[in-house]
Amino acid sequence: IFPKSYGNSEKTVKAMLAENPSVQIVIDVHRDAGVNKKEVVRINNRDAAKILLVVGTNTRLEHPHWKKNKAFAETVVKKMDELYPGLAKGIRMQDGRYNQHVHPNAILIEVGNAEKTTREEAEYAVTLFADVIYHLLADMQKTKI
């Protein structure tokens, strides 16, 4: 099933974008299964799982937006650092596309570690990330990014 997951989700994302052409950001949310340590940050007296942004490249498949996706991810991390220092774990470049080729502002986020961070820590991190996106959309509206 996993090898087909991005092909299946690509159809869904493309259909959603076709139905909603005003979409400005596409976010694929995951829990990180590749890190074997707990990485949290204390924000407002609560632990939040750290969030890693993943950007695909065009190494294996055609991916015309990868540089735009990378620039967008850098903007997201900058806003995360501004609003919630320590929440962003950084950006990792990968050889896959992760359906980011369908939109110039597409990112994949990995929220904490599936085995080490709690559901509550991950949910709190996503709540903070949603606030980051809210502010980022407001910025985009002002500057017409």
Side-chain angles (χ1 to χ4, degrees), residues 9-78:
S9 64
E10 179 181 353
K11 293 174 191 169
T12 302
V13 173
K14 284 182 174 179
M16 292 173 74
L17 290 171
E19 291 175 23
N20 304 283
S22 64
V23 167
Q24 296 178 46
I25 299 172
V26 175
I27 304 168
D28 186 0
V29 181
H30 293 252
R31 296 275 272 152
D32 191 350
V35 176
N36 196 23
K37 61 182 176 177
K38 183 171 183 148
E39 294 180 299
V40 295
V41 60
R42 194 97 174 140
I43 298 174
N44 298 326
N45 293 319
R46 290 180 66 188
D47 284 341
K50 288 188 167 247
I51 297 176
L52 175 71
L53 281 72
V54 178
V55 176
T57 67
N58 65 346
T59 302
R60 291 188 302 190
L61 296 168
E62 184 180 341
H63 184 353
H65 294 304
W66 81 269
K67 288 182 181 177
K68 289 179 182 177
N69 295 149
K70 181 176 185 259
F72 178 67
E74 290 167 349
T75 300
V76 173
V77 167
K78 183 178 177 185

Side-chain angles (χ1 to χ4, degrees), residues 52-56 91-92 94 98 100 107-110:
L52 175 71
L53 281 72
V54 178
V55 176
I91 300 170
R92 181 173 64 212
Q94 294 273 129
Y98 312 106
Q100 294 170 358
I107 53 173
L108 184 153
I109 64 171
E110 293 187 347

